Amino acid sequence: GTDTTTADLAAHTAAHLPAYMIPSHFITLDQLPLTPNGKLDRNALPTPDYNQHTSEGRAPRTPHEEALCTLFADVLGTDTVTIDDDFFHLGGHSLLVTKLVSRIRTSLGAELPIRQLFETPTVAALSAVLGNDTAPSRPTVTAVDPRPARIPLSYAQQRLWFLNRFEGPSATYNIPVALRLTGALDQEALRQALADVVTRHESLRTVFAEDADGAYQIVREPADARPDLHVIETGPEEVEERLRDAARRGFDLSAASGELPFRVTLFEVGDGEHVLLLLL
């Protein structure tokens, strides 16, 4: 009900919010778009164009700053970022901070607390922090060699093993993924692809054994852990129900059962139509 200019609104916002919560852009509209019910139509609101920002910031001075500028631009979806551009003024927010921290960890091998981006939101300031070694490098992950003969269960595996012993085979923790395949299908190539996945991921060929000291892991050799491809003919009207039934079938996680924690079923629905169920 009052005549407020964009500058007034920005000043009022800046006076009452922390710096990282201040909107990076204000757009003046003649009127707000409304739905037929008279409510705000959020989908019709214009999207700020962060690429139109004008900055007199400095260009990267080192390869390290250049890498950070590239990461900033990729995460923000903008063309260029100078070392003096503020991450939040370019449209950054807390979710993008998390994404940027992850990208920095992957690309530069540096661990940063999320709050660091709020304290040093420019490439120049962040580069100085990384250059001062205040952010520890990410330790290299290496496999234990040689692998112990008896591998204990992780905490998550202990829980699965206990519930499996207590309740028997259950579908509580089943993870189904169904894929519709259209066109000619080479089933032998599919079998080879599934075997390749199991070869590369040991968790798909790990079962539980038990001795006097408790439960432990057995990682089967790839040659002994090729997943079976169960092929079932069905009609379009029945495939959904049969998918549901297959996804509800529990696993016996004990090594004695001979079953892997990975089950594959191929439903032949019609000519050139299949549904592939991957069940973990």
Side-chain angles (χ1 to χ4, degrees):
T2 59
D3 185 12
T4 304
T5 66
T6 302
D8 293 334
L9 180 60
H12 177 80
T13 303
H16 291 83
L17 289 177
Y20 63 85
M21 294 182 65
I22 299 174
S24 57
H25 279 68
F26 290 87
I27 298 178
T28 303
L29 303 177
D30 294 331
Q31 61 182 12
L32 294 176
L34 302 177
T35 66
N37 295 328
K39 297 182 179 179
L40 177 64
D41 187 354
R42 296 182 181 274
N43 292 330
L45 290 172
T47 301
D49 184 359
Y50 299 112
N51 288 319
Q52 292 184 350
H53 78 280
T54 56
S55 172
E56 297 179 356
R58 294 167 293 172
R61 298 164 296 184
T62 64
H64 194 262
E65 288 183 345
E66 185 174 1
L68 284 173
C69 285
T70 299
L71 293 176
F72 270 53
D74 289 345
V75 170
L76 292 168
T78 188
D79 293 335
T80 58
V81 172
T82 73
I83 66 172
D84 298 311
D85 285 331
D86 189 297
F87 180 79
F88 300 100
H89 290 174
L90 298 182
H93 49 72
S94 56
L95 294 180
L96 289 181
V97 166
T98 303
K99 185 176 181 180
L100 179 59
V101 168
S102 176
R103 294 287 301 276
I104 291 175
R105 179 190 305 121
T106 301
S107 300
L108 303 180
E111 289 285 355
L112 283 174
I114 289 179
R115 69 173 182 275
Q116 187 66 60
L117 265 296
F118 292 103
E119 297 172 358
T120 53
T122 67
V123 167
L126 191 60
S127 180
V129 169
L130 295 175
N132 291 332
D133 294 328
T134 57
S137 298
R138 188 182 192 185
T140 302
V141 178
T142 57
V144 176
D145 187 28
R147 171 174 281 173
R150 189 180 188 281
I151 309 172
L153 301 185
S154 68
Y155 291 121
Q157 288 174 327
Q158 287 178 16
R159 182 180 184 187
L160 286 174
W161 172 79
F162 174 80
L163 291 174
N164 196 250
R165 289 290 306 273
F166 184 72
E167 300 177 348
S170 169
T172 303
Y173 290 94
N174 283 7
I175 304 175
V177 177
L179 305 172
R180 183 175 295 275
L181 309 177
T182 302
L185 178 62
D186 186 336
Q187 292 190 15
E188 183 55 32
L190 177 59
R191 287 186 173 90
Q192 294 290 343
L194 293 169
D196 181 59
V197 170
V198 172
T199 298
R200 287 184 286 113
H201 297 281
E202 290 186 342
S203 60
L204 299 180
R205 47 188 170 93
T206 298
V207 293
F208 304 155
E210 186 178 2
D211 57 16
D213 296 325
Y216 60 97
Q217 301 181 49
I218 294 181
V219 182
R220 292 183 173 172
E221 292 298 322
D224 301 326
R226 293 173 64 90
D228 294 327
L229 179 63
H230 305 282
V231 182
I232 299 176
E233 293 185 6
T234 185
E237 303 82 8
E238 305 167 352
V239 65
E240 184 174 346
E241 182 178 354
R242 302 195 73 167
L243 271 171
R244 191 181 299 111
D245 291 342
R248 289 173 176 167
R249 198 173 128 221
F251 288 89
D252 186 346
L253 302 180
S254 65
S257 71
E259 184 176 23
L260 296 175
F262 180 48
R263 190 180 300 143
V264 186
T265 308
L266 180 67
F267 295 92
E268 293 184 335
V269 182
D271 187 19
E273 291 292 334
H274 298 80
V275 176
L276 181 67
L277 174 66
L278 307 175
L279 190 66
L280 314 180

